[in-house]
Amino acid sequence: MTNPLFYAKILLFGEYGIIEDSQGLTLPYSFYKGTLKFSSLDSEFEKKSNGHLIKYAEYLQTLELPEGFELNVSEFLKEISKGLFFDSNIPQGYGVGSSGALVAAIFERYSITKYIPDFVSKDQLKNLKKVFGLMESYFHGRSSGIDPLICYMNLPILIENKESVDKVAIPKSEEGKGAIFLIDSGMTGETGPMVQIFFEKMKTEGFRKTLKEEFIRYNNACIDSFLKKDMNPFFRNLKKLSHWAYEHFRPMIPESIFNIWKKGLDSNAYYLKLCGSGGGGYILGFTKDYDKAEKMLDGFHIEVIYRF
């Protein structure tokens, strides 16, 4: 059995906004990965994973997938009975796509029609996103399909709007003073309850208005300037985006992060934003001077994901 690896993903921009048609930018993160494997299920981890796969296969049997995207679920069940499990170091509840990688791995192995990511057309991307949304909704109750799509394609993806996604080239990471990094909040987050809070907020007209007029504008401007590697407008809009989230996404910001979020805004040394739905897991940080930011964030576990 060849074991293709499926990497974690990071949603750089678009958290919550993509629900309301903002743009999003997401990229694979190879530090964390997962793959399907066989074993005699001696360890607790393997046994548990195999048990989860049985339940998931039962769910997949109930799904009606569009033509050309069907799965061979009977083969999946047969292989589960032979000791199949998902071997992954992707942390759950950290906003880096643990269920996305699993869905991508299962689709790659059991899809009756085989796709080669490099040759997937824009129309096929749209259909894959839909299929992955159905497959991943088992884990989150509702899914855009973006996480598994990134993990499956293993390429940066630009979310143009709710319906349309495309492959995109991002500027090459190079050794410079600036960096994008992850901060570990020290606690796991659950997507479901956070999304629920967001929908509750969306019931108020004031929040809907500021989301559309401010958040989405700053978010889209950040994506545009990042892809052009135009760093001055990028950081200008990033500060506005970080400040907006500090004001309006309070419940999604882990308590351990409140003070350092504000510290970044006050000092302009770095800016923070949610990584995925928030509530725990990782927080994203951006800085023009990583050494300075690292000193100010002493005591927090930080992972650099991109340099410029």
Side-chain angles (χ1 to χ4, degrees):
M1 171 178 181
T2 55
N3 291 347
L5 289 169
F6 290 89
Y7 297 131
K9 63 84 217 180
I10 289 171
L11 183 63
L12 270 193
F13 293 99
E15 73 288 354
Y16 293 107
I18 53 176
I19 298 172
E20 292 301 309
D21 238 13
S22 82
Q23 290 184 347
L25 180 65
T26 180
L27 55 153
Y29 182 41
S30 61
F31 184 76
Y32 293 120
K33 49 188 107 39
T35 186
L36 288 165
K37 279 184 182 174
F38 288 103
S39 86
S40 48
L41 307 180
D42 294 327
S43 83
E44 202 47 49
F45 173 82
E46 292 167 5
K47 213 176 290 171
K48 208 170 162 187
S49 172
N50 180 266
H52 286 319
L53 291 183
I54 293 169
K55 289 197 182 90
Y56 187 47
E58 287 164 359
Y59 166 78
L60 292 178
Q61 280 178 314
T62 69
L63 275 190
E64 278 195 39
L65 296 172
E67 199 181 330
F69 297 90
E70 299 96 341
L71 299 171
N72 187 342
V73 183
S74 55
E75 180 62 19
F76 183 28
L77 280 162
K78 200 157 77 185
E79 295 203 326
I80 292 169
S81 70
K82 291 178 183 169
L84 189 75
F85 76 103
F86 189 58
D87 188 17
S88 164
N89 70 345
I90 306 170
Q92 292 186 354
Y94 263 69
V96 287
S98 52
S99 59
L102 171 63
V103 168
I106 288 167
F107 183 83
E108 194 276 337
R109 187 162 175 78
Y110 301 104
S111 167
I112 293 164
T113 308
K114 296 300 174 195
Y115 295 90
I116 299 163
D118 283 348
F119 301 107
V120 165
S121 69
K122 197 171 173 181
D123 266 357
Q124 287 173 327
L125 265 185
K126 194 174 165 179
N127 289 327
L128 278 169
K129 178 179 170 292
K130 215 171 280 177
V131 167
F132 288 145
L134 292 169
M135 288 175 70
E136 202 191 25
S137 60
Y138 170 80
F139 300 97
H140 298 313
R142 179 172 171 175
S143 164
S144 66
I146 288 292
D147 285 9
L149 185 66
I150 312 317
C151 300
Y152 179 71
M153 296 296 294
N154 196 26
L155 293 164
I157 299 279
L158 175 66
I159 301 151
E160 295 168 337
N161 53 47
K162 260 185 209 168
E163 294 302 316
S164 185
V165 291
D166 207 357
K167 296 176 268 193
V168 70
I170 64 164
K172 212 165 136 304
S173 180
E174 53 194 45
E175 276 311 311
K177 282 182 78 173
I180 302 175
F181 54 91
L182 294 172
I183 302 177
D184 189 343
S185 69
M187 59 189 278
T188 56
E190 277 185 64
T191 301
M194 294 298 115
V195 172
Q196 205 45 53
I197 291 169
F198 175 75
F199 282 121
E200 279 303 312
K201 281 176 161 289
M202 283 298 288
K203 288 176 184 172
T204 65
E205 198 188 328
F207 181 78
R208 283 200 308 275
K209 193 173 186 300
T210 179
L211 184 90
K212 285 193 163 67
E213 290 175 6
E214 296 178 75
F215 176 87
I216 289 178
R217 185 155 50 95
Y218 306 147
N219 176 77
N220 292 1
C222 281
I223 293 172
D224 184 55
S225 47
F226 179 72
L227 291 177
K228 289 176 182 163
K229 216 174 176 185
D230 204 347
M231 286 316 192
N232 285 333
F234 175 69
F235 273 95
R236 206 164 48 239
N237 283 292
L238 188 60
K239 180 173 186 176
K240 290 174 185 169
L241 192 63
S242 180
H243 187 267
W244 190 95
Y246 186 74
E247 294 293 319
H248 298 282
F249 279 162
R250 248 341 140 88
M252 290 83 157
I253 300 173
E255 263 178 62
S256 59
I257 301 293
F258 269 147
N259 292 340
I260 58 164
W261 194 300
K262 182 86 166 63
K263 201 169 156 186
L265 286 169
D266 291 344
S267 66
N268 294 314
Y270 58 86
Y271 302 123
L272 302 185
K273 65 183 293 297
L274 297 177
C275 179
S277 59
Y282 286 119
I283 296 293
L284 270 164
F286 300 76
T287 179
K288 288 180 179 176
D289 184 344
Y290 180 67
D291 291 343
K292 184 180 177 183
E294 190 182 31
K295 284 191 187 86
M296 288 177 71
L297 294 165
D298 187 40
F300 284 87
H301 176 65
I302 297 175
E303 290 169 28
V304 175
I305 58 170
Y306 184 87
R307 296 298 304 236
F308 56 88

